[in-house]
Amino acid sequence: MTEAAELPPAPEQAREVFGDRFADAVRYAELLAEAGVQRGLIGPREVPRLWERHLLNCAVLSEVVPDNVTVCDVGSGAGLPGIPLALVRTDLKITLLEPLLRRTTFLTEVVELLGLDHVTVMRGRAEEVMGKIQPVHVVTARAVAPLDRLATWGIPLLRPYGEMLALKGDTAEEELKSASAALSKLGAVETSILHVGEGVVDPTSTVVRVEVGESPGGVRFAAKRAKAARTGRTRRRR
C-alpha cells in the first residue's frame, strides 16, 4: 500500500488571500488530504500541490466575480472552486452542484464544519435542476468538461446578462475558438480569456469568461425555463 503523501505547510500567500478565514482554509486542505483522498475525491499525488494547484488557484477566481451575487459551482466535486471562493467571499450566495452522493456528503460535511452559512449543497446534474434552482448571476466550473459541453450545462442556469467563469489550462484559447458556434447558439454575447492571481500563483490561473444576453441557453432553454416557472407557480398555489 502506497504511503499517503504529506500535506505541505500553507504558503505565505495563503494567509494573505484567505485573511481571517486562513484557519478554515488550512482545515479544508487537511480534509482534502485525508478524507478527500480516502474517499477517492482527489488523487494522492495531488496532496503535495494542494495549496498552489488547487486552493489558491481557485481562490483567486474571486478577483473577477462581482460583489453580492449568486453563484452556482457546476460539478463541484470536492468543492473546487466553490469552497475556496466561499472562504474569501462571504458576500456571495453559493450553490455547490454535484451529482454524486459521496461527493455531496463530503461537501455537506465541509460546509457544516467550516460554518459556511452562505453556501448550499445540492445533489443533481446541471441539466436536471432547472426550475429547482433560481437562475444565478454567475456559474463557475473547473476541469468539468470541454468548454462547449460545459456551456450546455452551465449557461442555462444563468440569469439574463449573467456570466460563466470556467477555470481552464493551456487549452483555453483553443477551446474557446472551437466552442464559438455552440456558445452563440446558447445566447453568449461576449467571450474573453482572463488571467488572475498575479503574485499569488505561478503560472496565473486562466479563466474563460462567457457573458450572456437576455436569453441564457438560447431559444430552446427559454421555453424550458418558462415551463419550469409555470410549474413552480402551480405548485405554490397548491
Side-chain angles (χ1 to χ4, degrees), residues 36 51 83 112 142 164 184 235:
W51 283 106
I83 288 177
E112 290 175 357
R142 179 182 189 240
M164 183 176 75
S184 294
R235 285 180 185 150

Side-chain angles (χ1 to χ4, degrees), residues 21 24 27-29 31-32 35-36 39 41 77-79 83-84 87 96 103-117 119 121:
R21 300 304 296 259
D24 291 326
R27 187 70 190 108
Y28 176 50
L31 288 166
L32 286 174
R39 300 187 198 182
L41 303 181
I83 288 177
L87 287 170
L96 306 178
R103 292 176 180 169
T104 54
T105 300
F106 175 78
L107 292 173
T108 301
E109 291 169 4
V110 171
V111 166
E112 290 175 357
L113 182 67
L114 302 184
L116 299 174
D117 298 333
V119 177
V121 178

Side-chain angles (χ1 to χ4, degrees), residues 7-49:
L7 177 69
E12 197 57 40
Q13 295 97 315
R15 292 183 180 276
E16 298 168 17
V17 170
F18 291 103
D20 59 3
R21 300 304 296 259
F22 172 70
D24 291 326
V26 171
R27 187 70 190 108
Y28 176 50
E30 291 169 348
L31 288 166
L32 286 174
E34 296 160 9
V37 172
Q38 291 163 10
R39 300 187 198 182
L41 303 181
I42 66 162
R45 292 182 180 179
E46 296 304 311
V47 173
R49 51 187 185 178

